[in-house]
Amino acid sequence: MESQKKFRSVLLFGPPGVGKGTQGAILGSVPGFFHLSVGDVFRSIDIGSDDGQEVYRYSSQGQLVPDELTVKIWKKALHAYEALTRYKPREDILILDGIPRNVAQTELVKDHLEILQVINLQCSDEEEMIHRMRRRAIRENRADDANEDVIRNRFKVFREKSSAVLECYPSEIISTVNANGSPAEVLKRILDAVVPVQNKHFRENV
Ligand code: ADP
């Protein structure tokens, strides 16, 4: 990764189970968007490696993985996708999912990113999110979704550490999006917010 290059990004933000992964994956399938989920990157690491062991130690308890390790792994994954030309920074908006997740991480990533917009996904019903995570536990065999205590701990971590991330960005770039309803309904709301930003910053590609 070149040191001065800043990746133009949209941050998908919100509590566990709100639909960041689902929406990010759909958006990432549209030309002009590239979605990278830190959670997915973590789950793809060889659990037998030192990094894999360290990641599992925290994520299986619903704790945040240490910041330096998180950012190191995230940068490596991004760089790999760029090298493979799956992610083309001049053409694609980077959809950030799962990073930054606390105030320290906003500092660690800020030299790499130009955050154009924050999509703040809000779901009024915590029980609905827990229900979604339970379904995901079965579908995706996720250890951190299977246990009620771990799920509750992730909400606690979100409230105590992650929610402050929003205060690091100017309110003009924060779009609050209602995350209740079907994936298609939520997608429509996200597109309504994101497409004008894409048109503004990637005019040459539209
Ligand atoms: P969710 O959004 O449902 O919490 P993710 O797939 O984004 O799920 O993350 C799963 C787990 O991976 C988190 O609970 C946490 O342990 C770890 N993790 C993901 N992103 C980060 C991050 N930026 N910093 C530290 N830990 C992270």
Side-chain angles (χ1 to χ4, degrees), residues 46 66 72-73 77 80 82 86 90 121 148 167:
D46 173 8
K72 180 190 94 171
I73 293 172
E82 195 187 353
R86 292 263 305 277
R90 286 193 307 137
L121 288 167
E148 174 101 23
E167 285 146 39

Side-chain angles (χ1 to χ4, degrees), residues 37-121:
S37 147
V38 180
D40 288 347
V41 172
F42 281 168
R43 283 183 288 279
S44 72
I45 297 177
D46 173 8
I47 191 127
S49 66
D50 288 348
D51 283 355
Q53 290 275 308
E54 189 72 352
V55 164
Y56 187 75
R57 194 149 75 86
Y58 291 92
S59 60
S60 60
Q61 300 304 313
Q63 297 295 342
L64 295 186
V65 175
D67 298 329
E68 302 284 344
L69 179 62
T70 297
V71 172
K72 180 190 94 171
I73 293 172
W74 169 77
K75 278 203 286 195
K76 195 169 154 195
L78 194 56
H79 181 64
Y81 283 116
E82 195 187 353
L84 290 168
T85 68
R86 292 263 305 277
Y87 168 46
K88 301 182 213 60
R90 286 193 307 137
E91 295 170 25
D92 300 334
I93 292 192
L94 175 61
I95 304 292
L96 297 167
D97 171 357
I99 195 167
R101 219 172 175 111
N102 60 22
V103 172
Q105 291 181 12
T106 64
E107 282 298 309
L108 289 170
V109 299
K110 83 170 191 288
D111 292 340
H112 304 287
L113 302 175
E114 183 190 352
I115 308 251
L116 305 173
Q117 189 182 34
V118 179
I119 300 289
N120 178 24
L121 288 167

